[in-house]
Amino acid sequence: MISITEWQKLGVGITGFGIFFILFGILLYFDSVLLAFGNLLFLSGLSFIIGLRRTFSFFFQRHKLKGTSFFLGGVVIVLLRWPLLGMFLESYGFFSLFKGFFPMVFGFLGTTFDIPFLSALFRRLQGTSSMV
């Protein structure tokens, strides 16, 4: 049984606030302060959730170095007040890093929501084309 510690609960909250500040910064025409604050909160929340050692081992695997360099480079560019370029670099790095998780997420969404068109779309995005 997996026990959730208080640090992990705190990490989920910090990560949620990070995502909120990133989305709010994008909504306010790429406000660099909000984006930078959201990036720092997102990364620190992720390290609270899975731990520092696992965070570093996730980001610095050999096959993920390209995505990591784009993601962390985008964070640095946002911190240097070039928000539009930084967010484009971060987006590419994010999709490169987490592309292995997307089929699982789409499969979960396809089974969770039993909406006819959306569940077929999520199944197609997951990679399974069988209609159940």
Side-chain angles (χ1 to χ4, degrees):
M1 177 116 182
I2 299 173
S3 67
I4 298 175
T5 64
E6 296 298 321
W7 290 105
Q8 288 174 328
K9 291 178 185 177
L10 180 68
V12 169
I14 291 173
T15 304
F17 275 117
I19 291 171
F20 169 75
F21 277 109
I22 289 172
L23 292 176
F24 197 56
I26 290 171
L27 184 69
L28 292 176
Y29 300 113
F30 292 96
D31 183 34
S32 60
V33 174
L34 289 173
L35 291 173
F37 192 59
N39 285 330
L40 294 176
L41 285 175
F42 177 77
L43 290 174
S44 62
L46 187 64
S47 64
F48 272 115
I49 292 171
I50 63 174
L52 282 175
R53 181 175 291 157
R54 287 184 181 164
T55 303
F56 283 116
S57 67
F58 174 78
F59 278 107
F60 294 108
Q61 294 175 8
R62 180 176 289 285
H63 64 281
K64 292 184 180 182
L65 283 178
K66 180 180 174 184
T68 300
S69 61
F70 274 99
F71 183 75
L72 295 179
V75 170
V76 169
I77 297 293
V78 167
L79 288 173
L80 293 175
R81 295 188 162 284
W82 288 74
L84 193 61
L85 177 64
M87 286 307 293
F88 282 130
L89 292 174
E90 273 185 56
S91 299
Y92 178 74
F94 181 81
F95 287 118
S96 295
L97 281 172
F98 296 103
K99 65 184 171 188
F101 293 116
F102 289 132
M104 180 178 56
V105 170
F106 289 138
F108 174 74
L109 290 174
T111 59
T112 303
F113 302 116
D114 197 20
I115 302 171
F117 175 72
L118 286 180
S119 52
L121 176 70
F122 287 140
R123 270 193 240 108
R124 186 172 297 145
L125 288 173
Q126 180 189 10
T128 60
S129 61
S130 63
M131 295 293 195
V132 176

